[in-house]
Amino acid sequence: MARLIGCKDLHFAPLTTDTSSGLTYGTIKKIPSLVAIDIKDSSDSVVFYSDDVAEQTINTFANKEVTIELGYLDPKLEAEITGQKYENGVFIQEATPASKELALMFKAELSTGGYQYVCLYKGVLKRDESAYKTKEESIEGQTVKLTGIFSPLANNGRVFIKANDSDSDNSTLIGKWFTEVPKTIGGGRAKQ
């Protein structure tokens, strides 16, 4: 049984088209210094009753909540990811940023060797807080946290995929994981 023992190589690609007839992404870029990434389903259960007993339970999926912790984040890249502005070397936060939908890809090391590859297809990220602290007797580094919501694609309803490189069926898909946004089963790959 393989356990996840790390994560690295976080990348993003801007989502440019997501319609029933097309799905395209912009150029994939790396986000350096990944410390951790948490992915949590936001869902609800609906219970139907009849004859005084629970007859059926239906789970409904809403979205995936994502929290990313980075060692650092360059202001220009932060603006690109969050939809804020970067002009003449200055990061500018506005009250109404142009939120940018994007895909995220990364890989997680497995205890048995190899990696699990993960892709989230459509979401928006933001930075909610910044922390600054004076130096004391020992230096304490500050990290950067991004949070976001990832929803189903309009094109095919997909939200998330993962694949282990130990499965030989995945070799072609994984071989291009960070050069093309992966799109599997029924339609090949998303256009770049």
Side-chain angles (χ1 to χ4, degrees):
M1 187 70 148
R3 295 183 184 273
L4 299 175
I5 58 170
C7 61
K8 64 183 191 177
D9 293 337
L10 180 63
H11 290 69
F12 80 99
L15 177 61
T16 53
T17 306
D18 178 24
T19 64
S20 59
S21 59
L23 178 62
T24 57
Y25 291 90
T27 303
I28 295 174
K29 293 187 179 179
K30 185 169 185 174
I31 303 172
S33 77
L34 178 61
V35 174
I37 184 165
D38 294 319
I39 303 168
K40 179 180 160 188
D41 280 5
S42 177
S43 58
D44 197 10
S45 295
V46 178
V47 180
F48 294 96
Y49 293 86
S50 65
D51 293 326
D52 294 333
V53 297
E55 178 184 293
Q56 183 179 23
T57 302
I58 298 175
N59 294 322
T60 59
F61 173 82
N63 53 53
K64 285 194 177 285
E65 298 170 3
V66 175
T67 302
I68 301 168
E69 184 178 358
L70 303 170
Y72 61 89
L73 182 59
D74 176 83
K76 185 175 183 181
L77 188 56
E78 181 181 347
E80 200 172 339
I81 292 168
T82 62
Q84 299 289 353
K85 287 194 175 179
Y86 184 83
E87 296 175 358
N88 302 318
V90 177
F91 176 88
I92 304 163
Q93 182 177 8
E94 297 184 326
T96 55
S99 295
K100 294 191 176 185
E101 292 180 321
L102 49 85
L104 284 179
M105 290 88 55
F106 67 95
K107 65 184 181 180
E109 190 173 359
L110 299 170
S111 61
T112 55
Y115 292 91
Q116 181 173 94
Y117 289 74
V118 177
C119 177
L120 293 142
Y121 284 110
K122 177 183 177 178
V124 176
L125 292 172
K126 63 183 178 169
R127 182 175 181 176
D128 291 326
E129 60 184 52
S130 297
Y132 302 88
K133 185 176 179 179
T134 191
K135 287 193 267 182
E136 297 174 356
E137 290 178 16
S138 63
I139 297 173
E140 186 176 315
Q142 306 298 318
T143 58
V144 174
K145 285 197 178 172
L146 300 173
T147 58
I149 301 292
F150 281 74
S151 303
L153 288 165
N155 179 264
N156 56 24
R158 294 187 182 137
V159 179
F160 165 92
I161 63 168
K162 63 183 175 182
N164 290 355
D165 60 8
S166 58
D167 186 339
S168 60
D169 291 341
N170 298 329
S171 61
T172 302
L173 178 69
I174 288 172
K176 298 180 181 180
W177 201 269
F178 299 117
T179 58
E180 299 177 20
V181 176
K183 184 177 178 189
T184 62
I185 309 169
R189 304 182 70 78
K191 296 179 183 175
Q192 302 292 316

